[in-house]
Amino acid sequence: MLLAVVSVLSLSIGVVPIPPADLLSPTPQQWQLLTVSRIPRLLAVLLAGAAMSVAGLIMQRITQNSFVSPSTSGTVEAAVLGVLMATLLLPGASLTAKMAVAIVTAVLGTLVFLQLLQHIRYQDPVVVALVGLMYGGVISAVTVFLAYQRDLLQLLEIWQTGSFSAVLAGQYEPLYLVLVVGALGYLFADRFTVVGMGREFATNLGVRYTAVLYTGLVVVSVMGAVVVVVVGAIPFLGLIVPNVVSLFLGDHIRRTLPATALAGAGFVLGCDVVGRTIRFPYEIPVATVAGVIGAGVFVWLILRAAQRTAP
Amino acid sequence: MIRVDDLSHAYDDELVLTDVTLRLPRGQVTALVGPNGAGKSTLLSAMARLLSPDSGRVLVDELAVADAPADVVARRLAVLRQDNRVAARLTVLDLVRFGRFPYCQGRLRQEDHRVVAECLDYVQLGELRDRYLDQLSGGQRQRAFIAMVLAQETDYLLLDEPLNNLDMAHATAAMQLVRRAAEELGRTVVVVLHDINMASCYADRIVGMREGRVTVQGTPAEVMREEVLSDLFGLTIPVHRVGGHLVGMHWAPGPVPAAAG
């Protein structure tokens, strides 16, 4: 409901405002603006928001850690490194080819993080989150160094800071891939939940733990990489949205996945609308708005967790 | 029948199971007892294919658990480990429904819902079905997990120290539940127990392990004898007959016999 209202807002706001009343019977000029820019932008926002949140949800369950997400485990950073490498090594490559490289590096980056997790002595969720942030930082350092050497720092900015201002028809369509992997994720919802109860629990129920874990890894990495390549990284999204939804609905993925997707889409849409209005007619990237709000919610979640573990 | 043939397993070069061969008949409650580190839990894990042993094999009614398809085994035997730390916020109902996973892959049919409801009633958690697991007491949570493995409707039920962290009343209730599952539902139960008196009162058969080997097995009357127990635990445990049960007074031991070291 709220999502619908904000969606209408999103369609009307812009350098050329379209009054909500005109949305139903636009002039040809307005119609062109809508189909080329506003509607693609809205769809991109909804898809990216839903994808990053669902990716976080699946990741948190299969690793049994509520402070793990694509942006705190190297997935996003590895995807950025991948797309940069693709740009450097295969200059003429299409967006699809670059995306494929980013997906591969995202899978590898996440895999390394999962291996790292098994060697950490303190399995405290907060420690794991901090290790993930540091690990992402290391990958980012490599990426920035490469970009600096090749004078591509500005290009890097596009992937590191998510923004929807450049979304136009004909350019955002790869995002639809997240619908496909999202459907796969929903199909595996029960298995992810079972795996989230531990290896022995899953084995007892005849669920193949390792196979499901890797399926989850691929789903998460594809979602993360596609969003990074098309719109750029949106910080904290995959971390806070699933956690807040879980407070209300628990951890059964079949129940929480649709709600998480909706809430993520709504949150990013809200951030995007805010980013477009507070410095009108200029824009603040959605990543900045989401970062400011997300950091606050993240700190609140950590304090809450710390209170619960040490009463 | 569960057949264990020449099972051996080592953790980091330390043998925890040495050539264990065992036959556990159907329809009985078998208790695995022995001191810490005797290999009871490792043996149970190997029976439940949670661990692949270095050598040897486990057959459950001629089904090789290590090689058979995962869902086929999951409809034949269910296992409950001792550490049921709840990593996810699930309701009691969610948990028990997972017991039907080997049958319906998450899409429950009418039959599955019926079994889930029956199992919840069986452990008397019908009223608490919508509670989250982390809102339950230890005893209630243990019953919820038992309901889940019951809902798997397997002929065989393997329980690893199900009485851990339960107070006396809850521990007794859990053992009565296990006994009823064997008698009323015809399940074959293998249960790792620390308390030999629980084994004596509720099991049809006791298997004693020490240092990775099965050292003694038989009915409670055969195992609950001072010389057998002192061999097994290295502790003189006076055995008395109380109200028809053989009870070992391990809390008031005699001097340690020289033979057992």
Side-chain angles (χ1 to χ4, degrees):
Chain A
M1 187 55 213
L2 190 64
L3 193 65
V5 174
V6 187
S7 296
V8 170
L9 257 181
S10 166
L11 289 176
S12 8
I13 296 169
V15 177
V16 180
I18 303 174
D22 286 3
L23 284 174
L24 290 175
S25 55
T27 63
Q29 216 179 3
Q30 287 175 327
W31 180 242
Q32 198 199 3
L33 182 65
L34 278 172
T35 50
V36 173
S37 166
R38 298 284 165 78
I39 291 175
R41 178 172 191 151
L42 173 64
L43 290 174
V45 166
L46 297 179
L47 286 173
M52 289 307 280
S53 307
V54 169
L57 168 71
I58 292 173
M59 205 156 184
Q60 281 150 25
R61 293 279 35 96
I62 61 177
T63 60
Q64 303 182 26
N65 186 321
S66 42
F67 290 117
V68 168
S69 76
S71 48
T72 55
S73 61
T75 311
V76 164
E77 288 80 1
V80 173
L81 178 61
V83 67
L84 177 74
M85 288 197 315
T87 311
L88 287 174
L89 302 175
L90 318 157
S94 64
L95 188 68
T96 322
K98 286 180 190 167
M99 203 155 80
V101 175
I103 289 172
V104 172
T105 54
V107 170
L108 290 177
T110 316
L111 203 61
V112 170
F113 177 70
L114 290 186
Q115 294 296 321
L116 208 62
L117 264 192
Q118 303 191 340
H119 296 285
I120 300 180
R121 278 185 50 189
Y122 303 100
Q123 287 288 349
D124 183 75
V126 179
V127 174
V128 170
L130 291 177
V131 170
L133 284 171
M134 284 189 275
Y135 169 66
V138 172
I139 299 179
S140 280
V142 174
T143 313
V144 170
F145 179 71
L146 273 179
Y148 171 73
Q149 280 209 318
R150 303 298 186 92
D151 216 6
L152 285 174
L153 279 176
Q154 279 196 319
L155 193 59
L156 199 58
E157 182 85 9
I158 295 178
W159 301 308
Q160 282 185 332
T161 314
S163 165
F164 295 97
S165 57
V167 170
L168 291 174
Q171 181 265 333
Y172 79 104
E173 284 78 358
L175 265 183
Y176 284 113
L177 187 57
V178 303
L179 286 181
V180 179
V181 285
L184 181 70
Y186 190 66
L187 216 61
F188 268 71
D190 286 318
R191 286 179 181 79
F192 290 144
T193 312
V194 168
V195 160
M197 295 292 283
R199 180 189 287 272
E200 293 180 337
F201 186 94
T203 307
N204 170 47
L205 294 178
V207 172
R208 298 192 316 177
Y209 181 84
T210 314
V212 173
L213 194 68
Y214 285 126
T215 307
L217 182 81
V218 170
V219 167
V220 168
S221 303
V222 169
M223 287 184 163
V226 169
V227 172
V228 163
V229 172
V230 179
V231 299
I234 308 170
F236 295 111
L237 183 56
L239 195 71
I240 60 171
V241 174
N243 271 299
V244 171
V245 171
S246 151
L247 289 181
F248 297 102
L249 295 181
D251 285 331
H252 198 320
I253 299 187
R254 184 179 284 277
R255 242 189 336 262
T256 56
L257 190 140
T260 305
L262 282 181
F267 177 68
V268 176
L269 189 59
C271 289
D272 189 52
V273 169
V274 168
R276 282 151 74 184
T277 39
I278 49 180
R279 266 184 75 210
F280 189 83
Y282 305 104
E283 281 195 24
I284 295 172
V286 72
T288 311
V289 181
V292 170
I293 302 174
V297 179
F298 181 47
V299 168
W300 174 70
L301 284 169
I302 283 199
L303 289 177
R304 199 173 166 279
Q307 254 173 7
R308 291 180 113 205
T309 48
Chain B
M1 180 164 79
I2 299 183
R3 280 182 54 171
V4 178
D5 288 328
D6 298 320
L7 208 64
S8 293
H9 191 71
Y11 293 119
D12 300 329
D13 296 334
E14 195 171 327
L15 269 174
V16 282
L17 288 180
T18 313
D19 295 327
V20 173
T21 295
L22 205 58
R23 302 282 179 272
L24 302 178
R26 276 187 81 119
Q28 294 195 342
V29 175
T30 301
L32 286 178
V33 301
N36 285 338
K40 310 178 295 283
S41 291
T42 309
L43 176 60
L44 197 86
S45 296
M47 285 182 189
R49 50 94 168 82
L50 298 180
L51 170 141
S52 25
D54 295 341
S55 63
R57 60 171 190 170
V58 178
L59 296 181
V60 174
D61 290 344
E62 307 311 315
L63 185 78
V65 294
D67 310 318
D71 55 329
V72 173
V73 181
R75 292 192 290 264
R76 187 71 60 87
L77 72 83
V79 59
L80 189 58
R81 292 278 289 159
Q82 51 182 305
D83 176 27
N84 291 307
R85 169 178 73 81
V86 188
R89 282 183 76 224
L90 296 178
T91 64
V92 174
L93 190 59
D94 289 338
L95 182 77
V96 179
R97 281 179 173 170
F98 277 135
R100 300 303 296 170
F101 198 86
Y103 297 88
C104 67
Q105 314 298 318
R107 271 171 287 282
L108 284 83
R109 301 149 301 177
Q110 212 171 3
E111 157 81 3
D112 301 306
H113 285 293
R114 184 184 61 75
V115 174
V116 167
E118 276 175 14
C119 292
L120 278 169
D121 287 341
Y122 203 76
V123 302
Q124 295 168 357
L125 281 180
E127 314 240 300
L128 300 179
R129 55 195 281 167
D130 293 321
R131 285 274 189 93
Y132 283 110
L133 292 172
D134 56 8
Q135 297 170 331
L136 300 181
S137 71
Q140 291 168 335
R141 195 175 313 139
Q142 189 66 304
R143 266 156 46 207
F145 276 95
I146 291 176
M148 183 197 78
V149 288
L150 285 177
Q152 261 178 274
E153 291 196 303
T154 54
D155 290 339
Y156 294 87
L157 208 53
L158 311 183
L159 307 171
D160 191 0
E161 295 189 23
L163 310 185
N164 253 9
N165 301 322
L166 296 188
D167 61 27
M168 285 186 290
H170 285 117
T172 305
M175 281 316 287
Q176 282 170 343
L177 201 59
V178 166
R179 190 68 232 171
R180 281 174 54 210
E183 283 172 12
E184 296 170 12
L185 308 176
R187 310 291 171 90
T188 305
V189 183
V190 183
V191 53
V192 174
L193 290 175
H194 257 302
D195 186 341
I196 48 164
N197 294 324
M198 283 290 191
S200 172
C201 293
Y202 290 99
D204 299 301
R205 200 176 165 73
I206 299 178
V207 173
M209 292 183 72
R210 177 167 191 181
E211 291 170 0
R213 295 170 195 274
V214 171
T215 55
V216 60
Q217 49 180 312
T219 61
E222 289 164 338
V223 176
M224 293 298 286
R225 296 191 348 231
E226 272 182 39
E227 64 273 22
V228 173
L229 294 181
S230 80
D231 248 14
L232 191 58
F233 291 98
L235 187 71
T236 298
I237 301 174
V239 176
H240 297 278
R241 185 170 282 279
V242 181
H245 293 291
L246 288 167
V247 174
M249 293 174 60
H250 52 78
W251 58 90
V256 177

